[in-house]
Amino acid sequence: MHRMKGRIQFKGEGNRMTVHRYDPASLHADEFINHDEILETLAFAQAHKDDVGLCREILKKAESHLAPAKDHCAVITHREAAVLLACDDAGINEEIRRLAHRIKLAYYGNRIVLFAPLYLSNYCVNGCLYCPYHAENRDIPRHRLTQDEVRAEVVALQDMGHKRLAIEAGEDPVHSPIDYILECMRTIYSIKHENGAIRRVNVNIAATTVEEYRMLKEAEIGTYILFQETYNRERYEELHPTGPKSDYCWHTEAHDRAMEGGIDDVGLGVLFGLEGYAYEFTGLIMHAEHLEAVHGVGPHTISVPRVKPAMDIDPDAFDNGIPDDVFDKIIALIRIAVPYTGMIISTRESRSVRERALRYGISQISGGSRTSVGGYTQEDRPHDTEQFDVSDQRTLDEVVAWLMDNDHIPSFCTACYRAGRTGDRFMQFCKGGQILNYCHPNALMTLMEYLVDYATPATKEKGEAMVRRELLKIPNEATRARTERYLSDIAGGRGNDFRF
């Protein structure tokens, strides 16, 4: 309807001119994230932002997501989503928020998946101007965890109650080669402390080769996560003056290589604040459209970090910061435009920001996080090696209790990953609304595990009441009965790790 497929972009290369035509199915970054297409999209959005009738037409189109179907991709285009983003009408903005909330419930219910980041190394050869790990920072203490230190960190995380980790490492071929990452994954999966276990390891490391992605797949990676940082190529090259990450195309095309290497689930994200938010939002939706067009599977997750203070980094140095109300709207529109994706918000954001974001589309959050190398084994929160300041510093137990106070089920579930419901198989369940028949009982069982093994008495009492209420919402009588038996076994210490 409003997409301009076939838009041509010219880029000079020496004495030659390379033609880049917008094509979401291309494997070339300058074609599926086409600068001129984004500029035309933003111009179209500005020209139509006051057309309330068009905005309501787009929202009506998106309402089809309230009845998920297996053949659903993104019903609205990046151009239509950009119109909604540009619209200032208070009534339309309220309709956006309400629809986003309803779509989130249609796909993910009231469950919120919990995870923690685990920083392995802050050695880095890149020159990213927004990250304290950049190679020119001589003040930050550098450290790489040994395998004994990895074990200690994992035990500390298991003692909190975590089952799912996202491992992070700076790009450094000497200190953090792929063999080191693989060894850390093996170590993490091997640790079974008391009743603890890490059941899914997501990996957030630099763009790499198809061969190395195959190695990650063989090591049982969960989701491969890579943030674009910014989709504006000129701005990207300014912000990444040195190091292998300075290659825009190599970085932007990494998710395609990961999927070629057999990784089913990939995660997108931009660092809001580096470039104008409308440009980044449009590029992000176009990237999701590209993955659908090429692989038939969109992003498993989309993350929405904002630039935050850190050692040697002042967010005020970047003049594209976005206020909370615009941030809320971006989250809501990502949920509307890419309804099937898991949406992640980290402890970069405050409790109040995260509380609103959960309503508008977020389905995964971190809890009890530390963003420093070796931070979980230290009694006091270390700040000298943090990648960013942590705004929400509550314990995992406090986060779990807060979620339940807001009628969200805290979920530590990893069943889909371990049952092989990944990639297109996950999307078939999710887009068809069938994933709710699995995730609701699985969430309750993993919550019960947490309550039995890790919760404070007040949180346990609150959680047991929630489990009793939510158990009644399982529509299938046989599934409800099995879930009740499993819950009884978990509560009685007769077993755990039950799943559908």
Side-chain angles (χ1 to χ4, degrees), residues 395-412:
T395 65
L396 178 60
D397 192 79
E398 290 170 331
V399 171
V400 167
W402 163 72
L403 287 172
M404 293 189 293
D405 286 339
N406 286 276
D407 201 34
H408 300 294
I409 304 173
S411 175
F412 297 87

Side-chain angles (χ1 to χ4, degrees), residues 8 10 32 142 183 186 193 215 368 436:
I8 298 176
F10 295 92
F32 65 80
R142 304 285 179 174
E183 183 180 13
R186 288 191 293 270
H193 175 64
M215 296 165 73
L436 299 177

Side-chain angles (χ1 to χ4, degrees), residues 244-407:
K245 193 172 177 178
S246 63
D247 187 332
Y248 171 84
C249 289
W250 176 254
H251 186 85
T252 309
E253 296 160 6
H255 299 87
D256 293 296
R257 293 195 302 277
M259 298 184 88
E260 182 183 347
I263 295 177
D264 294 323
D265 296 337
V266 298
L268 304 180
V270 294
L271 186 53
F272 284 102
L274 300 181
E275 178 53 67
Y277 68 84
Y279 191 105
E280 303 290 36
F281 171 81
T282 304
L284 188 58
I285 303 304
M286 289 170 68
H287 205 161
E289 292 171 340
H290 161 71
L291 294 178
E292 280 272 9
V294 174
H295 305 284
V297 179
H300 189 74
T301 59
I302 292 178
S303 299
V304 287
R306 288 191 285 186
V307 177
K308 293 291 179 179
M311 177 186 285
D312 199 40
I313 303 298
D314 178 6
D316 293 336
F318 304 95
D319 56 5
N320 290 295
I322 54 176
D324 289 349
D325 59 335
V326 174
F327 187 54
D328 293 346
K329 187 175 182 181
I330 287 170
I331 290 169
L333 285 172
I334 292 172
R335 173 55 65 207
I336 290 171
V338 197
Y340 54 80
T341 196
M343 289 187 64
I344 300 174
I345 195 168
S346 76
T347 51
R348 286 175 183 260
E349 300 296 342
S350 67
R351 169 178 175 163
S352 60
V353 169
R354 300 213 303 169
E355 192 162 307
R356 291 194 308 275
L358 290 173
R359 179 172 181 81
Y360 300 140
I362 295 298
S363 58
Q364 296 186 29
I365 66 171
S366 51
S369 302
R370 296 199 172 183
T371 65
S372 50
V373 180
Y376 293 108
T377 53
Q378 299 185 40
E379 184 174 349
D380 295 323
R381 182 181 295 273
H383 295 288
D384 59 347
T385 61
E386 285 187 315
Q387 191 185 36
F388 56 85
D389 284 356
V390 173
S391 296
D392 188 344
Q393 298 190 6
R394 290 173 295 169
T395 65
L396 178 60
D397 192 79
E398 290 170 331
V399 171
V400 167
W402 163 72
L403 287 172
M404 293 189 293
D405 286 339
N406 286 276
D407 201 34

Side-chain angles (χ1 to χ4, degrees), residues 40 51 62 81 185 224 231 240 305 361 413 428 460 467 470 480:
E40 283 202 3
D51 188 340
M185 292 174 68
Y224 174 67
Y231 282 103
H240 305 90
C413 180
Q428 286 175 1
K460 183 176 181 180
V467 169
E470 295 291 337
R480 187 169 62 251

Side-chain angles (χ1 to χ4, degrees), residues 426-484:
F426 172 83
M427 290 301 173
Q428 286 175 1
F429 280 102
C430 184
K431 292 179 184 180
Q434 296 303 311
I435 206 70
L436 299 177
N437 296 326
Y438 296 83
C439 287
H440 193 84
N442 286 335
L444 295 179
M445 290 186 290
T446 59
L447 173 58
M448 182 60 79
E449 288 179 345
Y450 176 83
L451 299 176
V452 169
D453 292 331
Y454 307 105
T456 59
T459 299
K460 183 176 181 180
E461 181 180 359
K462 193 176 298 184
E464 288 173 341
M466 169 167 264
V467 169
R468 288 193 296 271
R469 291 194 310 272
E470 295 291 337
L471 181 64
L472 300 176
K473 297 180 183 179
I474 298 174
N476 183 282
E477 187 175 338
T479 300
R480 187 169 62 251
R482 281 181 63 193
T483 303
E484 195 166 12

